[in-house]
Amino acid sequence: MISDATNRHGAVPVQTRNARFTSADVADFPEVTGREANWKLTPVDRIRDLLDGPLDGSAYSVVAQPSDGVDVRWVPRTDPRIGLAGIPEDKASANAWSSFGTALAITLSGEEHTELVVGRSEFGTLPRAAHTLLEAKPFSDSLVVLDNTGSAALVENLEILVRDGARLTLVTVQDFAEDARYVASHFAQVGRDATFKHVVVSLGGSVVRVNPSVTLADTGADGELLGVYFSDAGQHLEQQVFLFHKAANTRGRVNYKGALQGAGARTVWIGDVLIGPEASGTDSYEQNRNLVLSDGTRADSIPNLEIETGDILGAGHASATGRFDDEQLFYLQSRGIPEEEARRLVVRGFLIDIIQRIGSAALEERLTAAIEAELARDDR
């Protein structure tokens, strides 16, 4: 097993993402206290059983319609591709890795554009581990949607291999039931002249934590990491994003947007971008924007940028959290639009910017309707 975005440096806690300890064995990790850098903003007590308790690693029900150039099947944990994209850097991820029996493998090989929706709604309520492997063969062109609904107490590792010249858009939709708890680590390796768009959509669930780690591993790799989330009363939605420019002449964009409404609504976004010593010619930018819709909410937004070479095209980061723009509301109301409808238009316009970049009209329509439903909730 190899890990490019994170390397083993011993068991000493560190802040820098590429220096964190990594292991696929849960026994190698100490007990999580909630004071660790990668857990201090997470409600650890609400997911304690997922961190170190027993997990069911058996296969679960999946709904998918494979087509030409798309293969979906269960593979043993001895599959030689497992471990190539990355290795766990936290105990929850390692617990799932140690527990899974078979992995769901999705292989994409068609050069004609294909779209695949994988429906997953029968995880059950008992603690479960899952391992998903997604491989985009050289020069393939695909859009894959992992559509997560229903109840769940799930820890998942998702490995993504984007081979040379491939184009892949991966959308993970977290539209779980209100009681669901979901902790996921995504590991991606992007090859030479390959293009990878990674989209995280988090709407439903009690605690949802999705941490993508993407390595632009070869020359000309392009990575776009997008996210949209809407946190309601008592809901915790978290993303810890890591983009590693390992090779020269790579391009990266990170753009996450979220909204919060209702007492106790909480979001966490941590964005780490590392430009390595060999990544000359890098072009990178990350940003996070949060829109607060009511009192009693909290949004943590922490962008980090580390540059280990002086020969880059550009790099930057930004973060902002705030309430409605009064000028926008005034403008809409001056055109005869009632205040409540004006507020909905502002929020819709704020979030739709990310949704429209997905590239699937059907999914964009569904997510727009889901945001409308969130705005219509009376839990402020």
Side-chain angles (χ1 to χ4, degrees):
M1 296 181 181
I2 64 172
S3 175
D4 286 326
T6 52
N7 299 309
R8 179 186 290 267
H9 285 263
V12 178
V14 293
Q15 295 288 339
T16 308
R17 284 292 289 267
N18 73 314
R20 289 182 181 174
F21 171 75
T22 63
S23 173
D25 187 350
V26 66
D28 290 341
F29 289 86
E31 181 181 356
V32 175
T33 65
R35 296 188 295 273
E36 298 83 358
N38 57 337
W39 290 111
K40 63 183 181 180
L41 299 177
T42 307
V44 170
D45 290 343
R46 292 166 66 179
I47 57 170
R48 174 64 65 183
D49 56 336
L50 303 182
L51 297 177
D52 47 29
L55 302 175
D56 178 2
S58 62
Y60 51 87
S61 178
V62 173
V63 178
Q65 296 294 332
S67 58
D68 292 341
V70 178
D71 181 74
V72 180
R73 68 178 64 191
W74 292 96
V75 299
R77 59 183 297 131
T78 54
D79 188 291
R81 296 170 294 178
I82 290 177
L84 293 181
I87 300 296
E89 64 175 40
D90 65 54
K91 190 165 188 176
S93 178
N95 196 20
W97 202 298
S98 298
S99 302
F100 85 94
T102 57
L104 179 66
I106 303 170
T107 306
L108 310 160
S109 57
E111 295 188 18
E112 295 294 327
H113 181 73
T114 58
E115 295 190 11
L116 173 69
V117 177
V118 180
R120 309 191 303 176
S121 62
E122 298 185 20
F123 294 115
T125 58
L126 297 179
R128 172 180 287 277
H131 198 105
T132 303
L133 175 66
L134 179 58
E135 180 183 16
K137 294 286 190 178
F139 306 107
S140 60
D141 184 357
S142 307
L143 183 151
V144 176
V145 179
L146 294 181
D147 192 4
N148 300 316
T149 59
S151 295
L154 178 66
V155 190
E156 179 174 29
N157 290 301
L158 172 57
E159 294 192 72
I160 306 125
L161 301 170
V162 187
R163 304 297 191 180
D164 295 351
R167 299 178 62 86
L168 173 64
T169 296
L170 170 64
V171 186
T172 64
V173 180
Q174 284 64 243
D175 197 11
F176 289 108
E178 292 185 358
D179 62 343
R181 296 169 299 143
Y182 180 60
V183 179
S185 295
H186 295 184
F187 309 95
Q189 293 279 330
V190 186
R192 179 182 296 269
D193 296 325
T195 300
F196 179 44
K197 183 185 294 184
H198 182 277
V199 187
V200 176
V201 180
S202 294
L203 301 173
S206 174
V207 178
V208 174
R209 171 176 151 136
V210 181
N211 294 354
S213 296
V214 176
T215 298
L216 304 179
D218 211 335
T219 304
D222 187 296
E224 187 172 12
L225 283 62
L226 305 174
V228 61
Y229 47 93
F230 198 121
S231 179
D232 290 314
Q235 190 177 30
H236 180 98
L237 303 180
E238 180 174 342
Q239 296 93 177
Q240 296 189 24
V241 184
F242 182 30
L243 177 62
F244 178 28
H245 292 266
K246 181 184 179 184
N249 301 316
T250 56
R251 175 187 177 274
R253 292 292 185 272
V254 180
N255 191 2
Y256 276 62
K257 288 187 174 184
L260 305 87
Q261 86 173 358
R266 175 80 182 276
T267 64
V268 174
W269 180 87
I270 301 174
D272 294 317
V273 173
L274 170 63
I275 300 174
E278 305 301 321
S280 59
T282 288
D283 179 10
S284 187
Y285 192 81
E286 68 166 341
Q287 66 175 348
N288 175 230
R289 298 283 188 268
N290 296 292
L291 188 58
V292 176
L293 307 181
S294 66
D295 294 331
T297 66
R298 174 176 170 178
D300 290 280
S301 181
I302 307 171
N304 300 303
L305 175 62
E306 184 178 0
I307 304 173
E308 296 181 335
T309 177
D311 182 17
I312 63 173
L313 293 180
H317 58 166
S319 168
T321 299
R323 293 184 177 274
F324 282 104
D325 187 322
D326 290 336
E327 291 185 2
Q328 288 181 326
L329 287 177
F330 176 79
Y331 175 82
L332 292 171
Q333 289 180 267
S334 70
R335 296 301 186 269
I337 300 174
E339 180 180 357
E340 192 65 24
E341 179 61 23
R343 288 177 177 273
R344 291 185 182 183
L345 287 173
V346 171
V347 178
R348 186 189 309 151
F350 176 73
L351 297 178
I352 204 70
D353 170 57
I354 301 295
I355 294 174
Q356 289 178 337
R357 300 189 196 185
I358 293 175
S360 169
L363 182 58
E364 291 172 9
E365 182 178 354
R366 173 195 159 186
L367 295 179
T368 301
I371 289 173
E372 291 285 353
E374 293 280 0
L375 290 170
R377 291 173 59 127
D378 186 18
D379 57 2
R380 287 174 287 175

